[in-house]
Amino acid sequence: MHLERLAALEVVSVNTYIESQKQFIAAEKSLLECEQHISNIPALENASCHIQSAGKNLWLLSNKGKPTLEVLIFLDEKTQTATRINWRQHFE
């Protein structure tokens, strides 16, 4: 009986891990999409992330879903390339 309970808990644990990994990857993909198009902000009107100016060519991006990830981006005005400076998971 104990072995069955342990096996059931292990199945739940693995499924939870897989689902959370899928959500994390989806959050990262939405941030990457916004990061790639940050030089054309009007095109990101219905974007899957929040965009905030942090001043001096710095932008703070965060996805709209869970888990919430935030990245700080530097946008080079001359080359229009975005460089990721910082990354963190936001906990509520």
Side-chain angles (χ1 to χ4, degrees), residues 30-38 61 71 73 82-84:
S30 71
L31 284 177
L32 188 58
E33 178 185 338
C34 291
E35 183 179 336
Q36 290 173 343
H37 297 96
I38 191 72
L61 307 176
V71 292
I73 303 294
T83 305
R84 196 177 276 200

Side-chain angles (χ1 to χ4, degrees), residues 17-55:
Y17 175 76
I18 290 170
E19 187 60 33
S20 65
Q21 217 174 13
K22 286 178 185 177
Q23 292 172 349
F24 190 85
I25 290 170
E28 179 61 33
K29 282 183 180 181
S30 71
L31 284 177
L32 188 58
E33 178 185 338
C34 291
E35 183 179 336
Q36 290 173 343
H37 297 96
I38 191 72
S39 62
N40 189 10
I41 293 175
L44 291 172
E45 193 172 296
N46 295 323
S48 59
C49 59
H50 299 285
I51 302 170
Q52 284 182 293
S53 174

Side-chain angles (χ1 to χ4, degrees), residues 55-72:
K56 297 189 179 185
N57 299 332
L58 294 173
W59 296 88
L60 183 63
L61 307 176
S62 61
N63 65 310
K64 293 181 180 177
K66 301 281 184 196
T68 305
L69 304 179
E70 293 180 344
V71 292
L72 183 65

